[in-house]
Short mmCIF file of all heavy atoms in Angstrom, two decimals:
data_model
loop_
_atom_site.label_atom_id
_atom_site.label_comp_id
_atom_site.label_asym_id
_atom_site.label_seq_id
_atom_site.Cartn_x
_atom_site.Cartn_y
_atom_site.Cartn_z
N GLU C 64 -36.85 51.12 17.82
CA GLU C 64 -38.01 51.91 17.43
C GLU C 64 -39.31 51.34 18.01
O GLU C 64 -40.21 52.08 18.36
CB GLU C 64 -38.09 52.01 15.91
CG GLU C 64 -39.12 53.05 15.49
CD GLU C 64 -39.03 53.37 14.01
OE1 GLU C 64 -37.91 53.53 13.51
OE2 GLU C 64 -40.09 53.47 13.39
N GLU C 65 -39.41 50.04 18.05
CA GLU C 65 -40.68 49.44 18.46
C GLU C 65 -40.50 48.57 19.69
O GLU C 65 -40.32 47.37 19.60
CB GLU C 65 -41.23 48.60 17.32
CG GLU C 65 -42.00 49.41 16.33
CD GLU C 65 -43.08 48.55 15.70
OE1 GLU C 65 -42.79 47.44 15.31
OE2 GLU C 65 -44.22 49.02 15.65
N PRO C 185 -33.21 48.45 8.92
CA PRO C 185 -33.41 49.43 9.99
C PRO C 185 -33.76 48.73 11.31
O PRO C 185 -34.15 47.56 11.31
CB PRO C 185 -34.60 50.26 9.50
CG PRO C 185 -35.36 49.35 8.58
CD PRO C 185 -34.36 48.37 8.01
N VAL C 187 -36.18 48.29 13.17
CA VAL C 187 -37.62 48.15 13.46
C VAL C 187 -38.00 46.70 13.19
O VAL C 187 -37.32 46.00 12.45
CB VAL C 187 -38.49 49.09 12.57
CG1 VAL C 187 -38.18 50.54 12.84
CG2 VAL C 187 -38.33 48.77 11.10
N SER C 188 -39.08 46.27 13.83
CA SER C 188 -39.54 44.89 13.64
C SER C 188 -40.87 44.89 12.90
O SER C 188 -41.73 45.71 13.17
CB SER C 188 -39.74 44.22 15.00
OG SER C 188 -38.52 44.13 15.65
N VAL C 189 -40.99 43.96 11.98
CA VAL C 189 -42.26 43.79 11.26
C VAL C 189 -42.66 42.33 11.41
O VAL C 189 -41.86 41.44 11.13
CB VAL C 189 -42.08 44.12 9.76
CG1 VAL C 189 -43.36 43.84 9.00
CG2 VAL C 189 -41.64 45.56 9.56
N SER C 190 -43.88 42.10 11.87
CA SER C 190 -44.34 40.72 11.95
C SER C 190 -45.00 40.35 10.62
O SER C 190 -45.82 41.10 10.10
CB SER C 190 -45.30 40.56 13.14
OG SER C 190 -46.52 39.99 12.73
N THR C 191 -44.60 39.20 10.07
CA THR C 191 -45.13 38.77 8.76
C THR C 191 -46.65 38.61 8.86
O THR C 191 -47.38 38.99 7.95
CB THR C 191 -44.47 37.44 8.34
OG1 THR C 191 -43.05 37.64 8.34
CG2 THR C 191 -44.91 37.01 6.96
N ARG C 192 -47.12 38.08 9.97
CA ARG C 192 -48.57 37.87 10.15
C ARG C 192 -49.30 39.21 10.06
O ARG C 192 -50.28 39.35 9.32
CB ARG C 192 -48.83 37.21 11.52
CG ARG C 192 -50.26 36.75 11.72
CD ARG C 192 -50.41 36.00 13.05
NE ARG C 192 -49.82 36.73 14.19
CZ ARG C 192 -50.40 37.73 14.82
NH1 ARG C 192 -51.58 38.16 14.44
NH2 ARG C 192 -49.80 38.31 15.84
N GLU C 193 -48.77 40.20 10.77
CA GLU C 193 -49.39 41.54 10.74
C GLU C 193 -49.34 42.15 9.34
O GLU C 193 -50.27 42.81 8.91
CB GLU C 193 -48.64 42.48 11.68
CG GLU C 193 -49.39 42.78 12.95
CD GLU C 193 -48.57 43.70 13.82
OE1 GLU C 193 -48.38 44.86 13.44
OE2 GLU C 193 -48.06 43.21 14.85
N ALA C 194 -48.23 41.93 8.65
CA ALA C 194 -48.08 42.49 7.30
C ALA C 194 -49.21 41.97 6.41
O ALA C 194 -49.81 42.72 5.65
CB ALA C 194 -46.72 42.12 6.72
N TYR C 195 -49.51 40.67 6.54
CA TYR C 195 -50.62 40.09 5.74
C TYR C 195 -51.95 40.66 6.21
O TYR C 195 -52.80 41.00 5.38
CB TYR C 195 -50.63 38.56 5.86
CG TYR C 195 -49.72 37.89 4.84
CD1 TYR C 195 -48.50 37.35 5.21
CD2 TYR C 195 -50.11 37.78 3.51
CE1 TYR C 195 -47.67 36.73 4.28
CE2 TYR C 195 -49.30 37.17 2.57
CZ TYR C 195 -48.08 36.64 2.96
OH TYR C 195 -47.28 36.04 2.03
N GLU C 196 -52.12 40.76 7.53
CA GLU C 196 -53.40 41.25 8.06
C GLU C 196 -53.69 42.68 7.59
O GLU C 196 -54.83 43.03 7.31
CB GLU C 196 -53.40 41.20 9.59
CG GLU C 196 -53.71 39.80 10.11
CD GLU C 196 -53.46 39.66 11.61
OE1 GLU C 196 -53.18 40.69 12.27
OE2 GLU C 196 -53.51 38.54 12.10
N ASN C 197 -52.64 43.50 7.52
CA ASN C 197 -52.83 44.91 7.15
C ASN C 197 -52.81 45.16 5.65
O ASN C 197 -52.97 46.29 5.20
CB ASN C 197 -51.74 45.78 7.81
CG ASN C 197 -51.86 45.74 9.32
OD1 ASN C 197 -52.93 45.48 9.85
ND2 ASN C 197 -50.75 45.94 10.01
N LEU C 198 -52.60 44.10 4.88
CA LEU C 198 -52.49 44.29 3.44
C LEU C 198 -53.88 44.47 2.82
O LEU C 198 -54.73 43.59 2.95
CB LEU C 198 -51.80 43.06 2.83
CG LEU C 198 -51.58 43.08 1.32
CD1 LEU C 198 -50.58 44.16 0.95
CD2 LEU C 198 -51.08 41.72 0.84
N LEU C 203 -54.12 49.31 -3.64
CA LEU C 203 -52.90 49.42 -4.45
C LEU C 203 -53.23 49.91 -5.85
O LEU C 203 -54.12 49.36 -6.51
CB LEU C 203 -52.19 48.07 -4.53
CG LEU C 203 -51.62 47.53 -3.24
CD1 LEU C 203 -51.07 46.13 -3.44
CD2 LEU C 203 -50.50 48.44 -2.74
N ASN C 230 -43.13 45.33 -4.73
CA ASN C 230 -43.50 44.48 -3.59
C ASN C 230 -44.80 45.04 -3.00
O ASN C 230 -44.82 46.19 -2.54
CB ASN C 230 -42.34 44.54 -2.56
CG ASN C 230 -42.64 43.77 -1.30
OD1 ASN C 230 -43.77 43.33 -1.06
ND2 ASN C 230 -41.61 43.60 -0.47
N VAL C 231 -45.86 44.25 -3.02
CA VAL C 231 -47.16 44.78 -2.56
C VAL C 231 -47.17 45.14 -1.07
O VAL C 231 -48.02 45.90 -0.63
CB VAL C 231 -48.34 43.80 -2.84
CG1 VAL C 231 -48.61 43.68 -4.32
CG2 VAL C 231 -48.12 42.44 -2.20
N PHE C 232 -46.24 44.60 -0.32
CA PHE C 232 -46.19 44.94 1.12
C PHE C 232 -45.57 46.32 1.36
O PHE C 232 -45.77 46.91 2.41
CB PHE C 232 -45.35 43.92 1.89
CG PHE C 232 -46.03 42.60 2.10
CD1 PHE C 232 -45.47 41.43 1.62
CD2 PHE C 232 -47.24 42.52 2.78
CE1 PHE C 232 -46.08 40.21 1.82
CE2 PHE C 232 -47.86 41.30 2.98
CZ PHE C 232 -47.28 40.15 2.49
N GLU C 233 -44.77 46.78 0.40
CA GLU C 233 -43.93 47.96 0.68
C GLU C 233 -44.71 49.22 1.06
O GLU C 233 -44.39 49.84 2.10
CB GLU C 233 -43.00 48.23 -0.51
CG GLU C 233 -41.91 49.23 -0.18
CD GLU C 233 -41.03 49.49 -1.39
OE1 GLU C 233 -41.54 50.02 -2.40
OE2 GLU C 233 -39.85 49.16 -1.33
N PRO C 234 -45.76 49.62 0.32
CA PRO C 234 -46.41 50.89 0.67
C PRO C 234 -46.94 50.91 2.12
O PRO C 234 -46.72 51.88 2.84
CB PRO C 234 -47.56 50.99 -0.35
CG PRO C 234 -47.19 50.09 -1.47
CD PRO C 234 -46.36 49.00 -0.88
N GLY C 235 -47.61 49.83 2.52
CA GLY C 235 -48.20 49.78 3.87
C GLY C 235 -47.14 49.77 4.97
O GLY C 235 -47.24 50.49 5.97
N ILE C 236 -46.11 48.96 4.78
CA ILE C 236 -45.07 48.83 5.82
C ILE C 236 -44.25 50.13 5.89
O ILE C 236 -43.88 50.61 6.96
CB ILE C 236 -44.14 47.62 5.53
CG1 ILE C 236 -44.95 46.31 5.45
CG2 ILE C 236 -43.04 47.50 6.59
CD1 ILE C 236 -45.56 45.83 6.73
N GLU C 237 -44.02 50.73 4.70
CA GLU C 237 -43.23 51.96 4.67
C GLU C 237 -44.00 53.12 5.33
O GLU C 237 -43.39 54.00 5.95
CB GLU C 237 -42.90 52.29 3.21
CG GLU C 237 -41.87 53.37 3.09
CD GLU C 237 -41.48 53.62 1.64
OE1 GLU C 237 -41.09 52.66 0.96
OE2 GLU C 237 -41.56 54.77 1.21
N LYS C 238 -45.31 53.08 5.20
CA LYS C 238 -46.13 54.13 5.84
C LYS C 238 -45.95 54.05 7.36
O LYS C 238 -45.81 55.06 8.05
CB LYS C 238 -47.59 53.89 5.47
CG LYS C 238 -48.44 55.11 5.58
CD LYS C 238 -49.77 54.86 4.90
CE LYS C 238 -50.75 55.92 5.36
NZ LYS C 238 -52.13 55.50 5.17
N LYS C 239 -45.91 52.80 7.87
CA LYS C 239 -45.75 52.61 9.31
C LYS C 239 -44.31 52.90 9.75
O LYS C 239 -44.09 53.38 10.86
CB LYS C 239 -46.13 51.16 9.64
CG LYS C 239 -46.35 50.91 11.09
CD LYS C 239 -47.09 49.63 11.37
CE LYS C 239 -47.12 49.39 12.86
NZ LYS C 239 -47.11 47.97 13.20
N HIS C 240 -43.37 52.58 8.89
CA HIS C 240 -41.95 52.76 9.23
C HIS C 240 -41.28 53.60 8.13
O HIS C 240 -40.64 53.04 7.22
CB HIS C 240 -41.23 51.42 9.33
CG HIS C 240 -41.82 50.49 10.35
ND1 HIS C 240 -41.77 50.73 11.70
CD2 HIS C 240 -42.50 49.33 10.19
CE1 HIS C 240 -42.36 49.74 12.34
NE2 HIS C 240 -42.83 48.89 11.46
N PRO C 241 -41.40 54.93 8.19
CA PRO C 241 -40.86 55.78 7.12
C PRO C 241 -39.36 55.61 6.89
O PRO C 241 -38.86 55.92 5.80
CB PRO C 241 -41.17 57.21 7.60
CG PRO C 241 -42.25 57.05 8.62
CD PRO C 241 -42.08 55.69 9.24
N VAL C 242 -38.64 55.07 7.87
CA VAL C 242 -37.20 54.86 7.71
C VAL C 242 -36.91 53.95 6.50
O VAL C 242 -35.87 54.08 5.84
CB VAL C 242 -36.57 54.30 9.03
CG1 VAL C 242 -37.09 52.92 9.38
CG2 VAL C 242 -35.05 54.28 8.95
N ILE C 243 -37.85 53.08 6.19
CA ILE C 243 -37.67 52.17 5.03
C ILE C 243 -37.55 52.99 3.75
O ILE C 243 -36.66 52.77 2.93
CB ILE C 243 -38.83 51.15 4.97
CG1 ILE C 243 -38.71 50.17 6.15
CG2 ILE C 243 -38.86 50.40 3.63
CD1 ILE C 243 -39.90 49.27 6.36
N GLY C 244 -38.44 53.97 3.58
CA GLY C 244 -38.39 54.84 2.40
C GLY C 244 -37.12 55.68 2.36
O GLY C 244 -36.55 55.91 1.30
N MET C 260 -38.00 47.09 -0.59
CA MET C 260 -38.08 46.28 0.62
C MET C 260 -38.16 44.79 0.21
O MET C 260 -38.79 44.46 -0.78
CB MET C 260 -39.34 46.69 1.39
CG MET C 260 -39.43 46.15 2.78
SD MET C 260 -40.98 46.66 3.55
CE MET C 260 -42.10 45.44 2.90
N SER C 261 -37.56 43.91 1.00
CA SER C 261 -37.63 42.47 0.73
C SER C 261 -38.71 41.82 1.59
O SER C 261 -38.86 42.15 2.77
CB SER C 261 -36.28 41.81 1.03
OG SER C 261 -36.34 40.44 0.66
N GLY C 262 -39.46 40.89 1.02
CA GLY C 262 -40.48 40.15 1.76
C GLY C 262 -41.43 41.09 2.47
O GLY C 262 -41.86 42.11 1.92
N SER C 263 -41.73 40.78 3.73
CA SER C 263 -42.61 41.68 4.49
C SER C 263 -41.78 42.67 5.31
O SER C 263 -42.28 43.29 6.24
CB SER C 263 -43.55 40.86 5.38
OG SER C 263 -42.79 40.00 6.20
N GLY C 264 -40.51 42.79 4.95
CA GLY C 264 -39.64 43.80 5.54
C GLY C 264 -39.06 43.35 6.87
O GLY C 264 -39.25 42.22 7.30
N PRO C 265 -38.34 44.28 7.50
CA PRO C 265 -38.12 45.66 7.08
C PRO C 265 -36.85 45.87 6.24
O PRO C 265 -36.53 47.02 5.91
CB PRO C 265 -37.95 46.38 8.43
CG PRO C 265 -37.25 45.38 9.29
CD PRO C 265 -37.80 44.03 8.87
N THR C 266 -36.13 44.80 5.87
CA THR C 266 -34.88 44.99 5.14
C THR C 266 -35.11 45.62 3.77
O THR C 266 -36.05 45.25 3.06
CB THR C 266 -34.17 43.64 4.95
OG1 THR C 266 -33.91 43.10 6.24
CG2 THR C 266 -32.85 43.80 4.21
N VAL C 267 -34.24 46.56 3.41
CA VAL C 267 -34.25 47.18 2.10
C VAL C 267 -33.00 46.69 1.36
O VAL C 267 -31.93 46.58 1.97
CB VAL C 267 -34.21 48.72 2.22
CG1 VAL C 267 -34.15 49.38 0.85
CG2 VAL C 267 -35.41 49.23 3.02
#
Side-chain angles (χ1 to χ4, degrees):
E64 192 169 317
E65 275 210 314
V187 297
S188 296
V189 176
S190 126
T191 304
R192 189 176 49 80
E193 254 179 68
Y195 273 104
E196 279 169 7
N197 296 335
L198 181 67
L203 294 174
N230 177 349
V231 292
F232 286 121
E233 193 181 64
I236 302 292
E237 192 176 306
K238 202 167 164 201
K239 195 164 174 212
H240 302 292
V242 65
I243 290 170
M260 191 182 82
S261 185
S263 55
T266 300
V267 177

